[in-house]
Amino acid sequence: MKKGMVITIDGPAGAGKSTVSKLLASRLSFVCLDTGALYRAAAYQLKREGWNGAIEDIADPGRALKVSLKHDEGRVRVMVDGEEVSEKIRTEEIGLLASRISAVPKIREKLLPVQREMAEFGGVVAEGRDMGTVVFPDADVKFFLDASAEERAKRRYMEMTAKGEQVNRTDIKNDLLLRDRQDRERPIAPLVIPAGAVVVDSSNLSIPQVIDFMISVIERACPLR
Ligand code: DC
């Protein structure tokens, strides 16, 4: 397998992209690029600066975004203006805000070079909503990871209750459906199946099954040379 490969995984919220991309990257000794974390960090920054969540109230959507991902001994730290926010951005509220601001063209423009720079030398599994379409259209292998809304809501619910959060399953499903709609219907870089992507429906697959399947696709596309 060539070292400088770029592998993309796109898909809706809760399909398992984060878990799968981390494990896949580790199996390949690649770096995992979680681009949703950048949009979440941007939402966190705007909120901290007093933004009330309404798109029309982002006075200057082109204002400096101070977000970055820092690779640190196998861990990726999500940073906003020098502060680590890796855990703080993992809330439903920030997820929904991230989805809203991700429809603002200026925000996407600002985050595009940050993402490309991090994959400059390849050896990357990049996950998000527009990886195979906009950010890395020439990726070596593209996946679209999906699962039914019911299954995605169930997984998200279990993940959050395991963290000790008090959440309601219906609210979680409604948030996911709202985020799906926002991410799929926005005019700029909407969530779609990229041309040439292999669609993986993980509704009835375990994580190891998904990883093994992906590895087999990658080996077929880019055999050892
Ligand atoms: O993957 P996630 O749930 O952490 O992403 C949060 C939001 O960020 C998602 O709802 C839409 C946006 N996003 C995006 O527009 N493009 C990406 N490549 C990644 C995330």
Side-chain angles (χ1 to χ4, degrees), residues 35-36 39-40 90 98-99 102 108 128-131 179 183 186:
T35 60
Y39 287 90
R40 284 173 181 264
R90 301 287 161 200
S99 172
S102 67
R108 302 203 75 83
R129 303 292 187 287
D130 61 344
M131 296 296 97
R179 213 129 75 81
D183 295 348
R186 67 183 176 216

Side-chain angles (χ1 to χ4, degrees), residues 87-156:
E87 291 303 318
K88 287 183 192 156
I89 57 170
R90 301 287 161 200
T91 64
E92 282 303 290
E93 186 201 3
I94 293 292
L96 274 169
L97 285 184
S99 172
R100 298 204 68 204
I101 64 158
S102 67
V104 178
K106 274 270 188 291
I107 300 266
R108 302 203 75 83
E109 269 168 39
K110 296 229 161 220
L111 293 179
L112 186 63
V114 182
Q115 298 167 73
R116 289 199 176 138
E117 205 175 296
M118 296 208 58
E120 205 177 357
F121 303 109
V124 164
V125 176
E127 63 111 332
R129 303 292 187 287
D130 61 344
M131 296 296 97
T133 48
V134 177
V135 184
F136 304 113
D138 299 325
D140 298 273
V141 183
K142 300 178 185 182
F143 293 102
F144 188 88
L145 185 61
D146 210 347
S148 68
E150 203 54 56
E151 182 62 27
R152 289 186 288 128
K154 185 175 120 199
R155 289 178 191 167
R156 193 44 64 96

Side-chain angles (χ1 to χ4, degrees), residues 4 15 29 34 42 53 59 69-70 80 84 92 98 128 143 146 148 167 176 189 210 220 225:
S29 301
D34 171 3
L69 299 179
K70 208 163 140 188
V80 171
E84 179 172 6
E92 282 303 290
F143 293 102
D146 210 347
S148 68
V167 280
L176 274 180
V210 172
R220 229 176 302 134
R225 286 171 248 218

